[in-house]
Amino acid sequence: MHLTTAHLPKLIRSFEDSIQNGKDWLAFDSEIQLLSVYDLHYFDSADKAADFQLFNHLEDKEVTLLPVDALLGYVQHTASEQLKEGKSFNHIEIDDERVLGYYSDMKFNKTIAELEELLDQHDWKNAVYQPVQLPAEGTVLRDILQLIHQSFTVEQLSRFAVNGERAANLVQEMVTRHWTDTPMEKFIPDVLSGKILQQSFNHEHKTITMTQKNMEFLQNQLKTAGFSETLFPELEKNLLEGKESFQLPDNQAFGKDQMSSLLHFARSKEEGSDMYFFNKYDATLKSQTINASHSFFINNKGQSIDLKEACNLLNGRSVFKEVTPKEGDRYKAWLKLDFGGERDEHGNLKMNYFNQNYGFDLKEAISRLELKEMGNPDKMEALFKSLQRGDLTDATLIKGGKEIPVQITTDPKFKTLKMYDGDGSKLFVPGAKQDSRYGKAPVDEKKAAEGTDLKAGEKLVNGTEVKPTADATVANKKKDLLPKKVRENSLMPKNRVRQGKGQGIA
């Protein structure tokens, strides 16, 4: 098998792009003797590449799998060598064994570099590492995590050292350089022999590691939801105490809006699990004009409403989110709290959902206004994102050649926007263009679903012809009864001459 060099730069760029996009394996038909860039298939894992190979094998096709970075290195090295020798060539032979040898060397060198990086992260002269002892009671989590990381580094060194003489020699060189004349020097023989792996604490070590992973998971959740990092020490304390559930208070301000929240955490109900989850937060908004509260649940399988969005919802505005129902597919919708309805048994307001079928189109609504931001794609993108978060968004209205600072927000229920001036007074927003016509036509359900207008004389799906309704006929007759002059001028005259019996009105 050979790779054509007709488009070598394009081929190399294809390799580099796949690596950058996390697609580290490629596959190709083994029977193709001269491969081009179009014959290569990329995968983001060795398992997916292997599945592709198996599927083709069942179809009596042989597929070769190779790591992309190793093939790239092999191609560049081979091309460079042939150019140095002054040889002309129109293809590069693919030697599978040599490519895999490249891959093995690359993995080996990468592991060495990673181990060197791990060793550099610690002050081994002051290390207190003991593989068979747990941290003393009362040790703060920061120090516990330091001990865990030291233990992890020692174990990784030992696992690599037992992979042959070459690996053992490199590990010995590294640990001798880092550990000589430190408390860790006595552990060098046990690391090289692999004995250290049998001495390290097991269940307790795993428990502490899981606590750290759980801590990091919850910290990321809190950051994503917009809560303060000042909660982390209390979160850490409660996780170590092992309670079934706990709550943490948080207070933040968004401009003049004061948001107080109570965050609820609980241990997983699955048997044998020590994981804690952030389940919900009770949010209360207090401002000059509003005092409102609602509980927002955390969706561990999809998007959750963050604290800023909660503030906007409690202000009566709408937020655009992806909704994950208990049953059915995910969908995107505008969310709005119903302050006029009754609260449920938990004291929560009803949440209204306006999906795409409801008919609100943010782009169409904005297009009714002449905004300065329309001339700048980046500013328009920022405007859209701000409106979708439910913000009261600053913009510049162009009217009569003047620039007027305004604030706008969405109103999906009425399929429009709300706009305010600098004093907070509501301004007029043009409505969507409507077709005006007499009467009503029969409904073709298919066309109605597509949003298509029906016209008189048009055939429906069932073959029925659309005809003006009785109301439309009456309206047309009334139109014919108007005086000729009135019909021609469209407008009714101010002073009308009496057409029949009775007293006229001047």
Side-chain angles (χ1 to χ4, degrees):
M1 293 167 292
H2 304 80
L3 282 171
T4 177
T5 59
H7 304 288
L8 187 58
K10 187 174 182 180
L11 187 67
I12 290 175
R13 188 164 61 249
S14 174
F15 291 157
E16 292 173 341
D17 288 345
S18 71
I19 294 171
Q20 186 175 357
N21 294 326
K23 295 185 176 182
D24 299 326
W25 286 85
L26 62 77
F28 55 84
D29 188 339
S30 304
E31 295 182 359
I32 299 177
Q33 292 304 308
L34 191 61
L35 295 167
S36 73
V37 67
Y38 305 106
D39 299 315
L40 307 176
H41 306 272
Y42 295 98
F43 302 89
D44 56 16
S45 71
D47 289 340
K48 290 181 180 178
D51 288 341
F52 179 79
Q53 185 183 50
L54 176 61
F55 175 80
N56 280 275
H57 179 72
L58 296 174
E59 298 291 324
D60 295 327
K61 294 180 180 179
E62 293 302 319
V63 168
T64 298
L65 305 181
L66 290 174
V68 181
D69 51 359
L71 183 57
L72 172 61
Y74 171 82
V75 168
Q76 290 175 324
H77 176 75
T78 304
S80 177
E81 288 296 315
Q82 295 198 37
L83 288 171
K84 284 180 182 178
E85 295 175 6
K87 296 180 179 179
S88 61
F89 57 97
N90 58 12
H91 64 268
I92 296 175
E93 182 180 358
I94 300 177
D95 186 330
D96 294 359
E97 294 299 324
R98 287 186 63 189
V99 172
L100 293 174
Y102 262 78
Y103 182 60
S104 178
D105 287 343
M106 289 172 68
K107 284 185 66 178
F108 192 90
N109 294 333
K110 183 180 179 182
T111 302
I112 292 295
E114 289 172 348
L115 291 173
E116 282 281 10
E117 186 177 348
L118 286 173
L119 283 164
D120 287 338
Q121 291 176 8
H122 299 282
D123 176 12
W124 297 107
K125 290 183 178 180
N126 297 309
V128 289
Y129 171 75
Q130 290 293 335
V132 293
Q133 293 182 9
L134 288 172
E137 186 176 352
T139 305
V140 298
L141 186 58
R142 188 187 308 104
D143 293 337
I144 293 175
L145 298 180
Q146 177 72 9
L147 294 174
I148 290 174
H149 198 271
Q150 286 179 354
S151 176
F152 173 78
T153 300
V154 173
E155 289 177 15
Q156 292 300 105
L157 286 163
S158 188
R159 290 183 195 283
F160 187 66
V162 297
N163 285 325
E165 183 178 355
R166 181 186 175 196
N169 290 337
L170 285 168
V171 170
Q172 183 172 13
E173 179 186 330
M174 285 190 290
V175 296
T176 299
R177 186 168 65 253
H178 283 273
W179 292 353
T180 298
D181 297 328
T182 76
M184 296 299 298
E185 187 173 7
K186 62 184 178 182
F187 295 111
I188 292 178
D190 290 344
V191 167
L192 297 175
S193 66
K195 185 178 178 181
I196 200 80
L197 296 174
Q198 302 169 7
Q199 296 176 340
S200 60
F201 45 91
N202 297 318
H203 175 70
E204 294 83 356
H205 184 180
K206 290 179 181 177
T207 300
I208 297 173
T209 303
M210 285 302 297
T211 300
Q212 165 61 4
K213 289 181 178 179
N214 196 181
M215 177 72 178
E216 291 175 353
F217 172 75
L218 292 173
Q219 286 178 342
N220 287 332
Q221 272 196 315
L222 294 182
K223 287 180 183 178
T224 302
F227 290 100
S228 172
E229 294 187 16
T230 57
L231 295 174
F232 291 176
E234 281 298 313
L235 175 64
E236 175 183 307
K237 177 183 175 183
N238 280 276
L239 287 180
L240 291 174
E241 288 178 357
K243 300 175 181 177
E244 287 299 315
S245 63
F246 59 92
Q247 294 81 41
L248 298 177
D250 184 58
N251 293 285
Q252 291 194 51
F254 299 102
K256 296 180 180 180
D257 293 334
Q258 298 293 326
M259 289 288 288
S260 60
S261 307
L262 187 64
L263 288 65
H264 295 259
F265 301 83
R267 190 195 298 270
S268 171
K269 294 181 180 179
E270 292 185 15
E271 186 176 352
S273 175
D274 292 327
M275 287 285 289
Y276 284 87
F277 290 93
F278 176 25
N279 294 326
K280 68 171 183 174
Y281 62 97
D282 305 324
T284 299
L285 165 66
K286 290 184 179 180
S287 67
Q288 294 177 343
T289 57
I290 297 175
N291 189 345
S293 62
H294 186 78
S295 294
F296 295 94
F297 289 85
I298 300 300
N299 187 348
N300 289 298
K301 297 181 180 180
Q303 292 186 353
S304 298
I305 294 171
D306 65 35
L307 189 61
K308 182 62 167 67
E309 292 169 338
C311 180
N312 287 330
L313 286 167
L314 289 171
N315 266 293
R317 297 192 286 271
S318 302
V319 171
F320 189 68
K321 298 291 287 186
E322 182 179 80
V323 179
T324 308
K326 291 183 179 179
E327 297 181 0
D329 297 331
R330 298 178 182 181
Y331 64 93
K332 291 185 176 181
W334 289 92
L335 280 56
K336 184 178 177 66
L337 289 173
D338 183 1
F339 289 93
E342 295 183 358
R343 291 180 178 264
D344 62 19
E345 65 273 19
H346 303 293
N348 284 322
L349 298 163
K350 178 185 176 183
M351 185 75 78
N352 290 327
Y353 299 83
F354 304 99
N355 61 20
Q356 292 178 342
N357 294 331
Y358 185 76
F360 175 62
D361 185 339
L362 179 58
K363 289 184 179 180
E364 184 278 327
I366 289 181
S367 70
R368 302 176 211 161
L369 302 173
E370 187 177 353
L371 300 178
K372 182 180 179 181
E373 287 76 12
M374 288 181 176
N376 187 318
D378 292 336
K379 288 185 178 180
M380 280 303 293
E381 182 179 357
L383 181 72
F384 268 85
K385 288 182 179 179
S386 180
L387 289 171
Q388 288 177 334
R389 284 197 304 267
D391 294 341
L392 189 58
T393 306
D394 292 330
T396 304
L397 180 70
I398 306 298
K399 189 172 183 180
K402 295 182 179 180
E403 296 184 0
I404 304 172
V406 295
Q407 288 186 309
I408 56 177
T409 188
T410 60
D411 191 359
K413 182 177 180 180
F414 296 101
K415 304 176 185 178
T416 187
L417 300 173
K418 291 180 180 179
M419 182 166 59
Y420 305 89
D421 64 13
D423 297 325
S425 298
K426 195 171 181 181
L427 301 175
F428 172 73
V429 175
K433 292 183 178 179
Q434 301 290 335
D435 287 338
S436 58
R437 52 197 166 176
Y438 291 107
K440 298 178 182 178
V443 175
D444 184 323
E445 293 182 0
K446 181 174 183 296
K447 290 209 167 193
E450 294 172 352
T452 307
D453 291 333
L454 297 169
K455 299 179 180 178
E458 184 177 346
K459 296 288 186 180
L460 300 179
V461 175
N462 59 11
T464 305
E465 183 176 319
V466 179
K467 297 180 180 180
T469 62
D471 290 343
T473 304
V474 171
N476 286 326
K477 286 182 178 179
K478 288 182 178 179
K479 179 180 178 182
D480 292 337
L481 291 174
L482 291 172
K484 184 178 180 181
K485 185 176 181 181
V486 173
R487 292 203 307 271
E488 290 175 351
N489 295 336
S490 298
L491 296 176
M492 295 288 289
K494 258 186 167 183
N495 298 320
R496 289 179 289 177
V497 179
R498 176 168 160 273
Q499 297 290 329
K501 295 181 180 180
Q503 186 174 352
I505 301 174

